[in-house]
Amino acid sequence: MAEHPWLTVIGLGEDGPDGLPPASRQILDSAEVVMGPPRHLSMIPESAAERVEWPVPFSDGLPLLERLRGKRVVVLASGDPFWFGAGSVIARHFEPNEWTALPGQSSFSLAAARLAWPLEQVLTLGLHAAPLTRLRPHLSPGVRMLVLLRDGAAVQTLADWLNEMGFGDSHLHVLEALGGPRERRRSTTAEALSFDDIQHPVCVGLEIDGEGRAISKASGLPDQVFESDGQITKRPIRALTLSALAPKPGEHLWDIGGGSGSIGIEWLLRHDSLTATTIEPRAERAERIRRNADALGVDRLNVVQGEAPEALAGLPMPYVVFVGGGLSAALLEWLKANLPGGTRLVANAVTLESEALLAHWHEKLGGDLLRIELAQAGPLGPRRGWKAAYPVVQWSVTL
């Protein structure tokens, strides 16, 4: 890092510049340009520095910042800029030797101190511009979360959504303007929330409670969790398929022939660092996949409508590929020719023709070939019997 970078990101608390350490205050006082949202700019005293309001949406401010290169610039952010803040966006946009960051006290730290919650045991989420459904995988009685929200109205929206999900008994600790003269704390339940004068900035401490359905952390969610037209990898097969896909942190999946999106969605639920692209040729199914992903809190699923292999060109390269639909010799030839060595491939087949194709490729490339036959108990006249499902042949290989 350069000794004196032109750009400094300073984390400002609700007590304004008075709460800054001497080094941060000195850099702020010597700045030629101070850039930040109006609320932050209003906290600092008048000076000779030019003031630039950061526009909305946030990305529109980056070109403005680019044009200030060469001047001594301070960007004001909230608390710790690298904890659901502006720091990571700025760091991606500029070279490491151009900037430095001086973080302040995070809202999460202040909230945990007020509530006496061990921060290492609490989920922390920034939902200023993200959907509330990102909370969905974590809704389970006893879970504690600290959530940053856009404004006071978003707290009521959160309470309404928790009620809708069956978690209306959850306790909400509404923490406003932490660390400043306007700080206020009030507690209620999602079902009983009645005050509507909540001021920005706001952090909500959640203690989840209620009779809503929690999402299991195991692979193989109930089929009923997914909206489907019947084209879905059924729960036991899905669990075995996720085991074969073997997701590891940071990996990217291609889910070819998405159907209801269940494989790609369950892949993403395994770890927040995982990414996935689902390829689905039918428009109505592609839209259904998006709805399922949003409802289950993994809106980061990338859905591509198109036919494989044509739709695969130009996509970010995967670590793992699952073929659940559209299996053909041409697709397997394309994958073999275009994917780098080390890519893991899992394909499921139900028809005799696709089973024969996998047997041929197993002979050609090796790997594991598994035949899965399942039966479920059901009524048989006045008694019960076994009802067999179609067998599934699964081929797993590392290219």
Side-chain angles (χ1 to χ4, degrees):
M1 181 175 290
E3 186 178 353
H4 297 290
W6 64 271
L7 173 60
T8 304
V9 184
I10 293 180
L12 199 63
E14 286 301 300
D15 51 356
D18 292 341
L20 292 176
S24 299
R25 185 64 186 265
Q26 183 178 2
I27 291 175
L28 178 60
D29 290 343
S30 64
E32 297 176 271
V33 182
V34 179
M35 188 173 179
R39 184 174 68 87
H40 289 71
L41 292 175
S42 69
M43 293 180 179
I44 63 173
E46 291 293 334
S47 69
E50 178 188 357
R51 295 181 178 223
V52 179
E53 287 192 7
W54 198 289
V56 177
F58 186 84
S59 58
D60 288 354
L62 294 172
L64 297 179
L65 193 55
E66 280 271 12
R67 291 195 286 271
L68 296 172
R69 183 184 271 107
K71 297 184 177 182
R72 295 192 305 277
V73 180
V74 165
V75 170
L76 299 176
S78 294
D80 186 343
F82 283 89
W83 205 347
F84 297 109
S88 58
V89 180
I90 292 172
R92 287 195 301 268
H93 195 80
F94 294 95
E95 295 297 323
N97 64 347
E98 293 188 275
W99 60 271
T100 188
L102 299 172
Q105 203 167 24
S106 77
S107 296
F108 294 128
S109 296
L110 290 168
R114 302 298 187 267
L115 298 172
W117 288 1
L119 195 52
E120 74 277 5
Q121 298 175 17
V122 179
L123 291 170
T124 56
L125 296 102
L127 301 182
H128 306 88
L132 293 176
T133 50
R134 290 197 184 173
L135 297 173
R136 185 66 188 92
H138 311 297
L139 295 183
S140 185
V143 171
R144 285 176 169 177
M145 308 183 207
L146 292 173
V147 182
L148 302 179
L149 296 173
R150 180 183 63 256
D151 53 29
V155 180
Q156 184 64 62
T157 304
L158 170 62
D160 293 342
W161 180 75
L162 288 169
N163 273 312
E164 183 183 333
M165 293 293 103
F167 293 95
D169 291 336
S170 298
H171 285 81
L172 274 64
H173 305 282
V174 183
L175 307 163
E176 303 164 66
L178 285 166
R182 297 186 299 115
E183 180 174 324
R184 179 167 58 172
R185 169 186 166 184
R186 290 175 286 179
S187 298
T188 181
T189 64
E191 188 176 33
L193 178 65
S194 59
F195 43 89
D196 58 3
D197 60 341
I198 304 168
Q199 299 297 310
H200 175 74
V202 60
C203 177
V204 176
L206 286 176
E207 296 181 275
I208 302 301
D209 198 3
E211 301 298 324
R213 172 186 280 177
I215 295 178
S216 170
K217 295 301 182 184
S219 299
L221 297 178
D223 296 344
Q224 296 78 10
V225 167
F226 302 95
E227 181 188 346
S228 171
D229 61 0
Q231 188 69 25
I232 183 173
T233 303
K234 297 298 192 292
R235 183 187 63 80
I237 303 299
R238 196 179 333 118
L240 291 170
T241 300
L242 263 295
S243 177
L245 292 171
K248 301 178 183 67
E251 291 188 327
H252 184 69
L253 170 75
W254 282 358
D255 175 14
I256 300 175
S260 66
S262 61
I263 292 292
I265 289 169
E266 288 220 35
W267 166 276
L268 293 174
L269 286 171
R270 302 285 72 79
H271 198 271
D272 289 342
S273 69
L274 293 167
T275 56
T277 297
T278 291
I279 299 91
E280 170 53 52
R282 294 175 56 172
E284 69 275 15
R285 285 182 177 167
E287 187 55 39
R288 187 179 294 114
I289 291 169
R290 293 187 183 97
R291 289 198 298 271
N292 280 330
D294 290 346
L296 292 169
V298 287
D299 55 286
R300 68 186 189 276
L301 177 63
N302 180 35
V303 182
V304 174
Q305 185 193 334
E307 295 272 0
E310 294 79 11
L312 304 177
L315 294 179
M317 282 288 109
Y319 288 83
V320 190
V321 175
F322 172 64
V323 182
L327 181 64
S328 67
L331 175 58
L332 293 177
E333 291 285 1
W334 190 96
L335 295 172
K336 175 66 168 63
N338 288 277
L339 295 180
T343 304
R344 306 194 300 279
L345 173 63
V346 177
N348 287 355
V350 177
T351 67
L352 291 173
E353 291 80 5
S354 56
E355 181 178 329
L357 180 63
L358 292 189
H360 168 72
W361 277 80
H362 174 251
E363 182 181 12
K364 183 177 178 180
L365 296 184
D368 295 318
L369 198 63
L370 179 68
R371 182 179 172 91
I372 307 165
E373 299 187 65
L374 298 170
Q376 190 168 13
L380 186 62
R383 298 179 181 275
R384 293 173 301 144
W386 292 108
K387 183 178 180 180
Y390 286 114
V392 175
V393 172
Q394 184 179 91
W395 177 49
S396 306
V397 70
T398 299
L399 299 179

